Amino acid sequence: QPWLYGVARRTLANSDRSRRRSERLAARLSHDVPASRPIPDLADGVAERGRLRQALDRLRPADQEALRLVGWEELDLAGAAAAMGCSRTTMAVRLHRARRRLAAELRALEPDEHQPADAAPRTTAKQELT
């Protein structure tokens, strides 16, 4: 399937461009940080990325795809709609719902103030049914 190679090539190129943009931004920001501002703890960012990945993994595949097309691949609504084979309006609704579900999953993963740190994480109603 030659078209599949084209899709894979463009996906890898997008990923490479994204990585280079991130590196350039990090380099630019490291030079722009005033000395008086505290440097953020890198562990917080790693923990937040892990929490986000875990919340994203809990979503339906269609929700994950909608969020990744817009968030990771940086497609606009029209491009994401074309990729998912739906109208722009339908994509806007899907994206809104996916974002709402992701926010709910992130809230479910927040550490409980009254729960010990080593206790098992809370589960969603969807997980309890499976």
Side-chain angles (χ1 to χ4, degrees), residues 98-122:
R99 286 176 174 158
R100 202 173 62 211
R101 289 179 185 121
L102 179 63
E105 291 296 342
L106 285 168
R107 281 191 303 276
L109 290 172
E110 285 180 359
D112 190 352
E113 299 289 326
H114 306 291
Q115 184 178 358
D118 59 347
R122 295 182 290 185

mmCIF file of all heavy atoms in Angstrom, residues 98-122:
data_model
loop_
_atom_site.group_PDB
_atom_site.id
_atom_site.type_symbol
_atom_site.label_atom_id
_atom_site.label_comp_id
_atom_site.label_asym_id
_atom_site.label_seq_id
_atom_site.Cartn_x
_atom_site.Cartn_y
_atom_site.Cartn_z
ATOM 1 N N ALA A 98 -14.375 15.226 23.471
ATOM 2 C CA ALA A 98 -13.130 14.540 23.838
ATOM 3 C C ALA A 98 -12.366 15.350 24.882
ATOM 4 O O ALA A 98 -11.821 14.786 25.834
ATOM 5 C CB ALA A 98 -12.272 14.306 22.598
ATOM 6 N N ARG A 99 -12.320 16.662 24.707
ATOM 7 C CA ARG A 99 -11.643 17.515 25.693
ATOM 8 C C ARG A 99 -12.332 17.451 27.044
ATOM 9 O O ARG A 99 -11.678 17.424 28.090
ATOM 10 C CB ARG A 99 -11.595 18.960 25.194
ATOM 11 C CG ARG A 99 -10.586 19.174 24.097
ATOM 12 C CD ARG A 99 -10.650 20.580 23.570
ATOM 13 N NE ARG A 99 -9.569 20.828 22.611
ATOM 14 C CZ ARG A 99 -9.597 21.776 21.697
ATOM 15 N NH1 ARG A 99 -10.635 22.591 21.602
ATOM 16 N NH2 ARG A 99 -8.585 21.938 20.873
ATOM 17 N N ARG A 100 -13.656 17.435 27.015
ATOM 18 C CA ARG A 100 -14.419 17.356 28.268
ATOM 19 C C ARG A 100 -14.148 16.017 28.966
ATOM 20 O O ARG A 100 -13.939 15.965 30.178
ATOM 21 C CB ARG A 100 -15.899 17.527 27.948
ATOM 22 C CG ARG A 100 -16.719 17.985 29.128
ATOM 23 C CD ARG A 100 -18.136 18.305 28.754
ATOM 24 N NE ARG A 100 -18.764 17.091 28.250
ATOM 25 C CZ ARG A 100 -19.714 17.065 27.321
ATOM 26 N NH1 ARG A 100 -20.135 18.169 26.778
ATOM 27 N NH2 ARG A 100 -20.231 15.929 26.939
ATOM 28 N N ARG A 101 -14.109 14.937 28.194
ATOM 29 C CA ARG A 101 -13.833 13.617 28.782
ATOM 30 C C ARG A 101 -12.406 13.541 29.319
ATOM 31 O O ARG A 101 -12.160 12.947 30.374
ATOM 32 C CB ARG A 101 -14.069 12.520 27.751
ATOM 33 C CG ARG A 101 -15.531 12.317 27.419
ATOM 34 C CD ARG A 101 -15.719 11.229 26.375
ATOM 35 N NE ARG A 101 -17.097 11.131 25.988
ATOM 36 C CZ ARG A 101 -17.548 11.291 24.735
ATOM 37 N NH1 ARG A 101 -16.703 11.508 23.751
ATOM 38 N NH2 ARG A 101 -18.830 11.197 24.473
ATOM 39 N N LEU A 102 -11.463 14.138 28.602
ATOM 40 C CA LEU A 102 -10.076 14.151 29.066
ATOM 41 C C LEU A 102 -9.967 14.921 30.377
ATOM 42 O O LEU A 102 -9.293 14.488 31.307
ATOM 43 C CB LEU A 102 -9.152 14.759 28.013
ATOM 44 C CG LEU A 102 -7.680 14.844 28.395
ATOM 45 C CD1 LEU A 102 -7.096 13.453 28.610
ATOM 46 C CD2 LEU A 102 -6.899 15.594 27.335
ATOM 47 N N ALA A 103 -10.640 16.059 30.467
ATOM 48 C CA ALA A 103 -10.625 16.843 31.712
ATOM 49 C C ALA A 103 -11.192 16.028 32.870
ATOM 50 O O ALA A 103 -10.659 16.061 33.985
ATOM 51 C CB ALA A 103 -11.405 18.141 31.525
ATOM 52 N N ALA A 104 -12.262 15.277 32.611
ATOM 53 C CA ALA A 104 -12.852 14.442 33.663
ATOM 54 C C ALA A 104 -11.880 13.352 34.098
ATOM 55 O O ALA A 104 -11.746 13.070 35.297
ATOM 56 C CB ALA A 104 -14.159 13.822 33.170
ATOM 57 N N GLU A 105 -11.188 12.751 33.147
ATOM 58 C CA GLU A 105 -10.206 11.710 33.491
ATOM 59 C C GLU A 105 -9.036 12.303 34.275
ATOM 60 O O GLU A 105 -8.533 11.689 35.211
ATOM 61 C CB GLU A 105 -9.694 10.995 32.237
ATOM 62 C CG GLU A 105 -10.733 10.133 31.558
ATOM 63 C CD GLU A 105 -11.211 8.966 32.408
ATOM 64 O OE1 GLU A 105 -10.540 8.577 33.381
ATOM 65 O OE2 GLU A 105 -12.282 8.435 32.087
ATOM 66 N N LEU A 106 -8.611 13.505 33.894
ATOM 67 C CA LEU A 106 -7.523 14.154 34.637
ATOM 68 C C LEU A 106 -7.949 14.454 36.066
ATOM 69 O O LEU A 106 -7.167 14.288 37.004
ATOM 70 C CB LEU A 106 -7.081 15.431 33.927
ATOM 71 C CG LEU A 106 -6.239 15.219 32.671
ATOM 72 C CD1 LEU A 106 -6.097 16.521 31.894
ATOM 73 C CD2 LEU A 106 -4.883 14.655 33.033
ATOM 74 N N ARG A 107 -9.198 14.904 36.234
ATOM 75 C CA ARG A 107 -9.698 15.150 37.600
ATOM 76 C C ARG A 107 -9.733 13.854 38.399
ATOM 77 O O ARG A 107 -9.416 13.836 39.580
ATOM 78 C CB ARG A 107 -11.085 15.788 37.553
ATOM 79 C CG ARG A 107 -11.070 17.263 37.266
ATOM 80 C CD ARG A 107 -12.420 17.915 37.498
ATOM 81 N NE ARG A 107 -13.494 17.323 36.711
ATOM 82 C CZ ARG A 107 -13.787 17.641 35.454
ATOM 83 N NH1 ARG A 107 -13.079 18.559 34.824
ATOM 84 N NH2 ARG A 107 -14.789 17.061 34.832
ATOM 85 N N ALA A 108 -10.109 12.748 37.740
ATOM 86 C CA ALA A 108 -10.171 11.451 38.431
ATOM 87 C C ALA A 108 -8.782 10.982 38.853
ATOM 88 O O ALA A 108 -8.649 10.238 39.819
ATOM 89 C CB ALA A 108 -10.827 10.403 37.529
ATOM 90 N N LEU A 109 -7.756 11.428 38.141
ATOM 91 C CA LEU A 109 -6.385 11.015 38.459
ATOM 92 C C LEU A 109 -5.690 11.936 39.453
ATOM 93 O O LEU A 109 -4.570 11.658 39.859
ATOM 94 C CB LEU A 109 -5.543 10.942 37.178
ATOM 95 C CG LEU A 109 -5.894 9.810 36.226
ATOM 96 C CD1 LEU A 109 -5.134 9.968 34.915
ATOM 97 C CD2 LEU A 109 -5.600 8.466 36.864
ATOM 98 N N GLU A 110 -6.348 13.047 39.818
ATOM 99 C CA GLU A 110 -5.731 13.959 40.788
ATOM 100 C C GLU A 110 -5.554 13.242 42.111
ATOM 101 O O GLU A 110 -6.434 12.500 42.544
ATOM 102 C CB GLU A 110 -6.598 15.200 40.983
ATOM 103 C CG GLU A 110 -6.522 16.166 39.843
ATOM 104 C CD GLU A 110 -7.395 17.387 40.072
ATOM 105 O OE1 GLU A 110 -8.082 17.463 41.113
ATOM 106 O OE2 GLU A 110 -7.399 18.244 39.197
ATOM 107 N N PRO A 111 -4.429 13.469 42.753
ATOM 108 C CA PRO A 111 -4.231 12.827 44.055
ATOM 109 C C PRO A 111 -5.251 13.349 45.060
ATOM 110 O O PRO A 111 -5.528 14.537 45.124
ATOM 111 C CB PRO A 111 -2.813 13.220 44.455
ATOM 112 C CG PRO A 111 -2.352 14.225 43.470
ATOM 113 C CD PRO A 111 -3.327 14.274 42.345
ATOM 114 N N ASP A 112 -5.833 12.438 45.805
ATOM 115 C CA ASP A 112 -6.816 12.791 46.823
ATOM 116 C C ASP A 112 -6.080 13.272 48.068
ATOM 117 O O ASP A 112 -5.167 12.620 48.550
ATOM 118 C CB ASP A 112 -7.676 11.565 47.143
ATOM 119 C CG ASP A 112 -8.878 11.892 48.008
ATOM 120 O OD1 ASP A 112 -8.980 13.040 48.490
ATOM 121 O OD2 ASP A 112 -9.716 10.998 48.209
ATOM 122 N N GLU A 113 -6.486 14.417 48.581
ATOM 123 C CA GLU A 113 -5.837 14.993 49.771
ATOM 124 C C GLU A 113 -5.947 14.061 50.988
ATOM 125 O O GLU A 113 -5.082 14.035 51.835
ATOM 126 C CB GLU A 113 -6.489 16.345 50.112
ATOM 127 C CG GLU A 113 -6.368 17.383 49.026
ATOM 128 C CD GLU A 113 -4.948 17.897 48.873
ATOM 129 O OE1 GLU A 113 -4.244 17.996 49.883
ATOM 130 O OE2 GLU A 113 -4.554 18.191 47.740
ATOM 131 N N HIS A 114 -7.036 13.292 51.048
ATOM 132 C CA HIS A 114 -7.271 12.440 52.220
ATOM 133 C C HIS A 114 -6.789 11.019 52.016
ATOM 134 O O HIS A 114 -6.852 10.215 52.922
ATOM 135 C CB HIS A 114 -8.773 12.420 52.541
ATOM 136 C CG HIS A 114 -9.340 13.800 52.702
ATOM 137 N ND1 HIS A 114 -9.030 14.608 53.756
ATOM 138 C CD2 HIS A 114 -10.155 14.526 51.900
ATOM 139 C CE1 HIS A 114 -9.648 15.777 53.621
ATOM 140 N NE2 HIS A 114 -10.335 15.751 52.497
ATOM 141 N N GLN A 115 -6.317 10.710 50.802
ATOM 142 C CA GLN A 115 -5.850 9.357 50.500
ATOM 143 C C GLN A 115 -4.335 9.297 50.665
ATOM 144 O O GLN A 115 -3.630 10.185 50.197
ATOM 145 C CB GLN A 115 -6.244 9.023 49.050
ATOM 146 C CG GLN A 115 -5.904 7.625 48.633
ATOM 147 C CD GLN A 115 -6.386 7.380 47.188
ATOM 148 O OE1 GLN A 115 -6.972 8.231 46.567
ATOM 149 N NE2 GLN A 115 -6.108 6.208 46.688
ATOM 150 N N PRO A 116 -3.804 8.262 51.322
ATOM 151 C CA PRO A 116 -2.352 8.149 51.451
ATOM 152 C C PRO A 116 -1.702 8.071 50.072
ATOM 153 O O PRO A 116 -2.288 7.562 49.126
ATOM 154 C CB PRO A 116 -2.145 6.844 52.221
ATOM 155 C CG PRO A 116 -3.474 6.475 52.784
ATOM 156 C CD PRO A 116 -4.511 7.179 51.984
ATOM 157 N N ALA A 117 -0.471 8.568 49.971
ATOM 158 C CA ALA A 117 0.232 8.625 48.687
ATOM 159 C C ALA A 117 0.464 7.243 48.093
ATOM 160 O O ALA A 117 0.504 7.082 46.886
ATOM 161 C CB ALA A 117 1.571 9.342 48.863
ATOM 162 N N ASP A 118 0.590 6.199 48.936
ATOM 163 C CA ASP A 118 0.876 4.873 48.411
ATOM 164 C C ASP A 118 -0.394 4.054 48.158
ATOM 165 O O ASP A 118 -0.322 2.893 47.786
ATOM 166 C CB ASP A 118 1.804 4.111 49.353
ATOM 167 C CG ASP A 118 1.209 3.956 50.747
ATOM 168 O OD1 ASP A 118 0.207 4.643 51.052
ATOM 169 O OD2 ASP A 118 1.752 3.158 51.524
ATOM 170 N N ALA A 119 -1.570 4.652 48.345
ATOM 171 C CA ALA A 119 -2.820 3.936 48.104
ATOM 172 C C ALA A 119 -3.063 3.789 46.604
ATOM 173 O O ALA A 119 -2.535 4.538 45.799
ATOM 174 C CB ALA A 119 -3.986 4.678 48.750
ATOM 175 N N ALA A 120 -3.890 2.830 46.245
ATOM 176 C CA ALA A 120 -4.201 2.595 44.831
ATOM 177 C C ALA A 120 -4.983 3.778 44.267
ATOM 178 O O ALA A 120 -5.796 4.381 44.964
ATOM 179 C CB ALA A 120 -5.025 1.316 44.695
ATOM 180 N N PRO A 121 -4.748 4.128 42.990
ATOM 181 C CA PRO A 121 -5.474 5.246 42.392
ATOM 182 C C PRO A 121 -6.948 4.918 42.224
ATOM 183 O O PRO A 121 -7.333 3.754 42.116
ATOM 184 C CB PRO A 121 -4.795 5.429 41.033
ATOM 185 C CG PRO A 121 -4.148 4.129 40.741
ATOM 186 C CD PRO A 121 -3.818 3.522 42.068
ATOM 187 N N ARG A 122 -7.756 5.981 42.197
ATOM 188 C CA ARG A 122 -9.188 5.797 41.996
ATOM 189 C C ARG A 122 -9.441 5.314 40.581
ATOM 190 O O ARG A 122 -8.674 5.584 39.682
ATOM 191 C CB ARG A 122 -9.921 7.120 42.221
ATOM 192 C CG ARG A 122 -9.826 7.592 43.653
ATOM 193 C CD ARG A 122 -10.586 8.853 43.829
ATOM 194 N NE ARG A 122 -9.871 9.927 43.112
ATOM 195 C CZ ARG A 122 -10.220 11.185 43.146
ATOM 196 N NH1 ARG A 122 -11.267 11.565 43.824
ATOM 197 N NH2 ARG A 122 -9.531 12.092 42.496
#
